[in-house]
Amino acid sequence: MGAGVLFLRQALAARPCRALVAFATSRRLLRTSPPSRAFAKQLFLGKIEKKEVFPFPEVSQDELNEINQFVGPLEKFFTEEVDSERIDREGKIPNETLEKLKNLGLFGLQVPEEYGGLGLSNTMYARLGEIIGLDGSIAVTLAAHQAIGLKIWITNGGIANVFTVFAKTQVVDSDGSVKDKITAFIVERDFGGVTNGKPEDKLGIRGSNTCEVHFENTKVPIENVLGEVGGGFKVAMNILNSGRFSMGSLVAGMLKKLMEMTAAYACTRKQFNRNLSEYGLIQEKFALMAQKTYVMESMAYLTAGMLDQPGFPDCSIEAAMVKVFSSEGAWQCVSEALQVLGGSGYMRDYPYERLLRDSRILLIFEGTNEILRMYIALTGLQHAGRILTARINELKRGNVTTVIETVSQRLRDSLGRTVDLGLTGKLGAVHPSVADSANKLEENVYYFGRTVETLLLRFGKTIVEEQMVLKRVANILINLYGMTAVLSRASRSIRVGLRNHDHEVLLANIFCAEAYYQNLFTLSQLDKYSPENLDEQIKKVSQQVLEKQAYICAHPLDRTS
C-alpha cells in the first residue's frame, strides 16, 4: 500500500450508494461563483481584509430559532441518557445510545435534507458541536462519520457499512504522461473484500470504535468516484475543514462544563480556612480557562460564518488554525483544572481524569499539530511568494530603485512607524473599548508582512526545509487570527448590547496583549542574526541524542578515575 493510502480496483460490477453519490454530485454543481479572497493568506502580505471578518458573523432570527429547536432535546439527551462513565469503562457506546443518536439525526448533521440528513449550516453544526463535545467518544464517532479513512486506526471501522476511501489511481496528464493521483471513492462493505481488525484498546475516547480496515480486490463502480478522478486531495481538504473548524466549538462546550464543575469545587473547598477561589494562583487558572474558551469559540464561529458565505471561500488555513489552537487549549485547560481539583481530579470516581485522557488525542488526529503548522505556514508563504516574486527577484538582481525603496522602508520601520490598517477611528471596524488591542493587531500584521518578505528573500524555495522557522510563522498567524476573532466578536457584543459584554472586552484585551508580546518575541527570533534564536543549539542537542538514541550526559554521581 503506497504512501499509506488504499489501492482499489475500479469496475462497474457493484451497486453504487446512490444517495451519497447524488449528494456528492449536487455539491459539485453548487460551485458556480468564484471564491472570495481568503483572510488568512492576506495576512502574509501585511494586509487585513476587513470585509471578511468585520462585523462578526450573525445568523438570522429564523436560523437561530431553528438552532434552538435542536439544542434543547440534544442537551436533555446528553444530560439524562448518555452515561459517559459506562462508555469509558466498557470501551464502547451502547447500541441503544447509538440508535438514539441515529434517531436524533446526528449521523447526518450536514447532509442535505433531500438525502436524509439535517442539512445544517456550518454555524448550526458548530452550535450542536458544543453539546456533542460533552462526551469525547460520541463526538469522535459522529465526527468520523463524515471524515476520512486510511488503512489503520479507522474510527468507526468496525461498525461502518459505507466508507470514504482515498486511493492512488493512474491519471493521464495534459501532456500525455501517466501519473499516480489521489481519488476519493464511496465504498460499501457489501461490495466485498472489506474486513476489519479487532477494536483497539486506547488511552482515551475509549468508547469510539477504532480498528484497521482491509480492502482485498474490492471492486468499486466508477459512479462511486467523489468529485473527479485524481481530484481526491480537494475532496479531502473540504472534509478536513469541517472537522478542524468544528473542534473549536466541541472543545469550548466541554471546557464550559469543566469550568462549571471546577468552579463549584473551588468555591466550596477550603484550604487554611479560606476557599480555594480566594487564592491568586487559583484565580489565574480560571482566567486562563475563560480566555482560551473565548478565543477558540470566537475563532470557530468566525470561521463557520466564513464557510457559510456564498462562493465557497478558501478557509483551509483558518480551519487548521482553529484546530491547533483549540486542541492545545483543551489540553492546557484540562490540566489546569486537574491542578485545582487536586487528588479528586486524579481519581476514576470523578470525570476529570477521563476528560484529560480524551483531550490528548485532539493534538494528534485531523492532522497532527506539527503537520498543520507546516501546512499553515507553507500555504500562506506560497500565496505571498506568488505575489512577491517579481519584487524579490528585483532585490536579488540588485535593482537600484527596489533596493532603495526597501532600505527606506526598513529605516522607517526601525524608527517606529505608526501603522494604520483601518481598524480604529470614526470609520474603524472595532469598538473604541478594544481600540488599543486593534492597534496592537495592526502593528503585528504589518511587521509580519515585512518579515514574510524577508524570509522569502533569505530562503527562497528551501524554506520548506526550515521547520523551526515555519513553526514560528504559524504561531504568529494563529495569534493574529485569534486577535482578529475576539476583536470582531467583542465589538459586535458591545454594539448589540449582549449581556456581560464588558467581560468579553476584558478577555479580548488580555488575549490581544499577551499575543502581541508573544508575536514581537517570535518576530525577533525570525531575524537572521537574532540572539534569541537558539535553533542551531537545539538541533545540535537533538542530533547528539538521536545519534546514541539515549540521554548521553554522565550521571551526577559519576567520578573521573
Side-chain angles (χ1 to χ4, degrees), residues 19 64 96 111 149 217 294 336 340 369 375 395 411 464 531 535:
L64 185 60
E96 61 269 24
V111 176
N217 294 323
Y294 184 72
E336 293 287 13
V340 174
N369 286 7
Y375 174 79
L395 285 170
L411 179 61
V464 298
D535 287 356

Side-chain angles (χ1 to χ4, degrees), residues 197-495:
K198 66 178 182 62
E200 300 288 350
D201 188 13
K202 306 185 296 294
L203 170 71
I205 55 169
R206 292 176 51 78
S208 62
N209 180 282
T210 307
C211 63
E212 291 187 4
V213 176
H214 305 277
F215 297 86
E216 185 174 355
N217 294 323
T218 301
K219 296 180 179 180
V220 183
I222 193 68
E223 296 95 326
N224 279 47
V225 171
L226 273 174
E228 300 175 354
V229 174
F233 180 77
K234 291 181 180 178
V235 176
M237 291 311 302
N238 286 335
I239 296 172
L240 287 169
N241 281 348
S242 175
R244 288 169 180 169
F245 95 82
S246 62
M247 190 176 290
S249 63
L250 285 165
V251 170
M254 180 271 289
L255 290 179
K256 289 176 187 179
K257 183 65 176 177
L258 177 63
M259 285 175 65
E260 288 178 12
M261 296 187 294
T262 310
Y265 178 87
C267 290
T268 55
R269 172 69 171 170
K270 291 192 179 293
Q271 289 280 13
F272 307 109
N273 296 318
R274 296 169 65 188
N275 289 333
L276 281 179
S277 58
E278 297 178 45
Y279 292 98
L281 292 183
I282 301 299
Q283 294 167 354
E284 182 184 41
K285 297 181 188 304
F286 282 99
L288 173 72
M289 288 188 274
Q291 180 205 116
K292 293 286 185 184
T293 304
Y294 184 72
V295 178
M296 69 179 68
E297 187 178 51
S298 302
M299 293 171 73
Y301 280 98
L302 179 59
T303 307
M306 288 181 180
L307 289 168
D308 284 334
Q309 292 299 310
F312 293 87
D314 176 12
C315 296
S316 59
I317 297 180
E318 287 86 348
M321 290 191 288
V322 176
K323 190 272 180 181
V324 172
F325 185 91
S326 302
S327 59
E328 293 177 359
W331 181 243
Q332 185 179 6
C333 289
V334 175
S335 178
E336 293 287 13
L338 259 70
Q339 199 68 18
V340 174
L341 295 156
S344 298
Y346 210 71
M347 302 303 161
R348 285 189 179 270
D349 288 342
Y350 302 96
Y352 311 110
E353 59 84 29
R354 184 184 74 248
L355 294 176
L356 185 76
R357 289 186 285 108
D358 286 351
S359 296
R360 189 58 186 84
I361 191 62
L362 299 178
L363 289 79
I364 298 172
F365 71 6
E366 299 286 1
T368 68
N369 286 7
E370 288 75 19
I371 290 174
L372 287 182
R373 278 189 166 89
M374 299 301 101
Y375 174 79
I376 290 165
L378 286 173
T379 304
L381 288 168
Q382 184 183 46
H383 172 76
R386 282 196 297 265
I387 294 171
L388 298 174
T389 296
R391 176 178 168 81
I392 290 171
N393 287 339
E394 287 178 359
L395 285 170
K396 287 181 177 179
R397 288 195 299 265
N399 181 289
V400 176
T401 303
T402 307
V403 169
I404 292 174
E405 178 187 304
T406 302
V407 170
S408 299
Q409 184 182 66
R410 291 180 180 175
L411 179 61
R412 289 194 299 271
D413 291 346
S414 66
L415 296 174
R417 70 158 66 227
T418 299
V419 179
D420 182 3
L421 300 181
L423 293 186
T424 60
K426 288 184 178 180
L427 300 177
V430 304
H431 191 272
S433 299
V434 290
D436 184 58
S437 292
N439 290 334
K440 288 182 170 66
L441 170 62
E442 290 177 321
E443 182 186 326
N444 274 174
V445 169
Y446 174 81
Y447 286 107
F448 178 62
R450 301 285 70 75
T451 299
V452 164
E453 183 177 321
T454 302
L455 292 174
L456 291 172
L457 180 64
R458 176 176 156 199
F459 292 108
K461 293 181 179 179
T462 64
I463 199 166
V464 298
E465 304 297 332
E466 301 293 332
Q467 291 200 347
M468 293 184 186
V469 170
L470 296 174
K471 175 186 175 181
R472 292 189 180 96
V473 169
N475 286 345
I476 293 169
L477 196 73
I478 292 168
N479 273 342
L480 295 179
Y481 191 49
M483 294 167 80
T484 303
V486 298
L487 290 172
S488 181
R489 179 181 173 185
S491 294
R492 173 192 175 264
S493 297
I494 299 166
R495 286 172 174 147

Side-chain angles (χ1 to χ4, degrees), residues 18-71:
R18 301 290 181 191
L20 288 173
V21 173
F23 169 44
T25 304
S26 73
R27 298 280 286 184
R28 291 200 296 271
L29 294 175
L30 284 173
R31 292 182 174 273
T32 55
S33 53
S36 61
R37 183 171 290 175
F39 173 77
K41 288 181 179 179
Q42 292 299 103
L43 293 175
F44 282 82
L45 300 171
K47 299 177 180 179
I48 297 176
E49 291 291 334
K50 292 186 292 183
K51 68 181 188 305
E52 302 293 334
V53 291
F54 294 99
F56 197 77
E58 287 188 338
V59 297
S60 66
Q61 187 60 51
D62 288 343
E63 187 172 12
L64 185 60
N65 293 340
E66 188 178 355
I67 292 172
N68 291 333
Q69 287 178 357
F70 287 110
V71 168

